[in-house]
Amino acid sequence: MNDGFGLRGAAPRRTTTVVIGAGHAGLAMSWHLSQRSIDHVVLERGEVANSWKTERWDSLRLLTPNWQSRLPGYGYRGDDPDGFRTMRETVHFIEEYARAISAPVRAQTKVISVRHTGEHYQVMTDQGDWHCDTVVIATGACNIPQVPALATAMPATIASLTPMQYRNPDQLEQGGVLVVGASATGVQIAEEIHHSGRPVTLAVGEHVRLPRIYRDKDIQWWMDAVGVLDERYDEIDDIVRARNVPSLQLAGSPERRTIDLNALSGIGVKLIGRLAGINDGKAQFSGSLRNQCALADLKMNRLLDAIDEWASANGFDGKVAPPHRFAPTEVEASPPLGIDLARGSIKTIIWATGFRPDYSWLDVPVLDHKGRIRHDGGVVQAPGMYLMGMPFLRRRKSSLIDGAADDARDLSAHLAAYLVERSAARPAEQLLSR
Ligand SMILES: Cc1cc2nc3c(=O)[nH]c(=O)nc-3n(C[C@H](O)[C@H](O)[C@H](O)COP(=O)(O)OP(=O)(O)OC[C@H]3O[C@@H](n4cnc5c(N)ncnc54)[C@H](O)[C@@H]3O)c2cc1C
């Protein structure tokens, strides 16, 4: 809603906190700010749940079961807690949440700059400016597809798509497809395109293999129960590494299918090593496929060991299926190390190589040399500025819908304490002149 006040040239509006982004993370923060009676607005460049509405492919379902989308003050209310939401259902869920908590969302309001005047934050938008004491950045971790530089060497005859451009296989020319990247996005898109009848080659680098179901329960149920998802950022040896671990090789489907590399090669998807370069129209692949797969198998088995240990200690033995292990990932003895792209067997390349946030609008010096925001568990290195929704921000689950509640609780408490400290430090005349 825009009331015309605060548009360019008009006086800026004032609030205590501006939350930028009305995805689930911004909304979870809004709930906590309301609980603390902190005056705020949520500025959103599109509509509530914009990323799920505009940036995902048609067939995507959440890979987290319904019960695992717990937002503050709002649990799952349907009759299928173990199901996986479609995109339409996900959008509906987040819209319903925004309504239920009466979040003060200003839609169609794009933040174009945030700067600190020394006294307060100045948030400039295409619908006028705001002044505030504190800012919460909840603009998402996945604003821009991360395409490797080597993509520029791709022959012009081959179509190139990012997951944000991909909607369904009908978009693609007939013929072979190379999907680069075997994390959640890559394996899901590779499987769908394979079923459309196009031959699919999947370039596999580092990945996290997981079964959908283990010992009668969803793997997310086990990880939640064991406490893996609650591991904190300040208890991890190498948090930089942990924040860069690829997404889980999982998909949500009504059949609760496992979508690991064995499942994909079993239906005819060709596995190949990590794409290492493109030279003179030839794609070159790393010879590390076997090692990458062995490492992923090893890490999966370590997690299953921890689950078995927890299950025994907590009385689950005899109540669920006994411990078992999955077949190691099968890899061709000598997978090809190159494909001549000029030969025409590959018509499309899909870059499922990850995403990154976009902070081009942020004029506060808080970015490191890689363009990431410097922060300590979401407390940004600028007074009164906070970050939400990033991988392993405060906990392993921080980038999941289910992670927002705990993070927003912690960070809203920090923000409230900051406001108290700030007002105590301010001379009385400044407070009166506001
Ligand atoms: C393909 C994919 C699948 C995923 N699947 C799951 C899953 O199954 N389960 C799960 O728990 N998580 C999943 N995630 C992770 C995560 O939950 C989503 O990325 C989620 O959208 C992040 O929520 P968010 O609120 O942090 O960010 P977003 O939902 O991206 O919300 C950020 C909002 O900020 C707005 N915005 C950005 N810039 C500006 C600006 N300058 N001014 C105003 N507004 C702005 C955007 O329009 C957007 O609405 C998935 C992520 C991806 C990419």
Side-chain angles (χ1 to χ4, degrees):
M1 183 190 92
N2 294 304
D3 52 16
F5 181 63
L7 287 169
R8 276 285 99 79
R13 285 159 283 191
R14 196 168 204 303
T15 185
T16 305
T17 302
V18 166
V19 178
I20 311 173
H24 75 266
L27 296 171
M29 179 55 89
S30 172
W31 187 85
H32 276 285
L33 295 175
S34 296
Q35 293 295 301
R36 293 175 176 278
S37 303
I38 295 174
D39 177 48
H40 67 283
V41 289
V42 182
L43 304 183
E44 167 55 56
R45 64 181 170 184
E47 299 292 330
V48 167
N50 188 51
S51 305
W52 298 107
K53 270 184 191 153
T54 62
E55 295 173 355
R56 314 278 194 253
W57 60 98
D58 300 344
S59 66
L60 179 65
R61 283 176 182 261
L62 291 190
L63 54 75
T64 41
N66 291 334
W67 60 262
Q68 205 185 10
S69 295
R70 298 166 285 207
L71 287 169
Y74 202 76
Y76 179 64
R77 290 156 187 213
D79 56 4
D80 184 19
D82 296 322
F84 301 93
R85 285 193 176 95
T86 61
M87 281 308 94
R88 213 156 55 89
E89 291 164 343
T90 305
V91 167
H92 180 71
F93 160 67
I94 296 174
E95 285 175 340
E96 280 289 292
Y97 182 59
R99 264 193 292 276
I101 66 169
S102 304
V105 176
R106 302 242 166 182
Q108 302 300 340
T109 302
K110 183 176 182 179
V111 172
I112 48 184
S113 156
V114 173
R115 54 178 67 127
H116 198 262
T117 63
E119 175 55 25
H120 54 246
Y121 284 102
Q122 190 179 15
V123 178
M124 297 168 78
T125 84
D126 58 1
Q127 301 296 329
D129 301 348
W130 288 83
H131 286 179
C132 57
D133 303 317
T134 50
V135 170
V136 179
I137 300 172
T139 46
C142 303
N143 308 123
I144 302 176
Q146 197 161 273
V147 177
L150 56 81
T152 53
M154 221 179 64
T157 49
I158 296 183
S160 168
L161 282 181
T162 69
M164 281 189 182
Q165 295 164 323
Y166 174 80
R167 286 293 172 270
N168 58 58
D170 294 346
Q171 253 174 307
L172 313 181
E173 224 187 297
Q174 284 303 328
V177 178
L178 171 64
V179 177
V180 184
S183 294
T185 298
V187 293
Q188 292 178 28
I189 291 179
E191 186 195 40
E192 171 166 273
I193 296 176
H194 168 82
H195 286 309
S196 76
R198 293 166 179 81
V200 175
T201 304
L202 179 63
V204 179
E206 186 191 356
H207 58 277
V208 183
R209 180 184 179 195
L210 285 180
R212 180 78 261 179
I213 303 291
Y214 180 59
R215 298 184 69 184
D216 301 338
K217 293 195 176 287
D218 196 280
I219 193 69
Q220 294 281 1
W221 186 91
W222 286 114
M223 290 198 289
D224 185 52
V226 171
V228 174
L229 298 174
D230 288 318
E231 277 170 352
R232 286 180 55 95
Y233 77 107
D234 45 7
E235 293 167 358
I236 292 284
D237 289 341
D238 186 350
I239 187 62
V240 176
R241 162 94 190 111
R243 286 182 173 147
N244 286 297
V245 167
S247 62
L248 311 178
Q249 233 175 34
L250 279 179
S253 65
E255 317 79 50
R256 318 181 69 68
R257 276 194 322 280
T258 289
I259 189 171
D260 60 12
L261 298 180
N262 280 350
L264 290 178
S265 54
I267 58 173
V269 171
K270 189 168 178 56
L271 306 182
I272 200 163
R274 185 173 173 276
L275 179 60
I278 301 178
N279 279 316
D280 295 332
K282 295 190 180 64
Q284 295 152 347
F285 299 92
S286 150
S288 66
L289 178 62
R290 185 172 290 278
N291 287 346
Q292 292 286 6
C293 292
L295 193 62
D297 290 352
L298 183 82
K299 288 186 179 168
M300 173 179 72
N301 287 336
R302 261 194 230 144
L303 174 70
L304 300 183
D305 290 344
I307 289 173
D308 291 339
E309 205 177 301
W310 182 90
S312 290
N314 288 277
F316 278 83
D317 287 341
K319 293 187 187 146
V320 292
H324 58 96
R325 292 292 172 263
F326 299 87
T329 306
E330 266 181 52
V331 178
E332 222 184 296
S334 323
L337 295 177
I339 296 180
D340 188 349
L341 297 172
R343 289 195 160 192
S345 62
I346 300 289
K347 298 286 187 201
T348 308
I349 300 189
I350 297 190
W351 302 99
T353 36
F355 302 91
R356 63 187 168 84
D358 174 19
Y359 300 125
S360 52
W361 46 269
L362 185 56
D363 295 318
V364 181
V366 291
L367 300 184
D368 69 13
H369 66 286
K370 288 195 167 167
R372 297 172 300 211
I373 291 184
R374 287 191 303 268
H375 68 95
D376 180 10
V379 180
V380 178
Q381 291 179 8
M385 184 172 269
Y386 298 86
L387 180 63
M388 284 283 299
M390 303 304 290
F392 227 134
L393 183 85
R394 296 186 66 80
R395 298 170 175 83
R396 196 180 289 281
K397 65 184 177 187
S398 285
S399 62
L400 296 180
I401 293 172
D402 204 40
D406 286 350
D407 289 2
R409 185 198 57 227
D410 295 354
L411 292 174
S412 62
H414 194 287
L415 184 152
Y418 168 80
L419 289 173
V420 170
E421 215 175 278
R422 179 183 154 93
S423 67
R426 263 175 161 191
E429 64 274 16
Q430 262 190 30
L431 289 171
L432 289 172
S433 69
R434 273 178 52 179

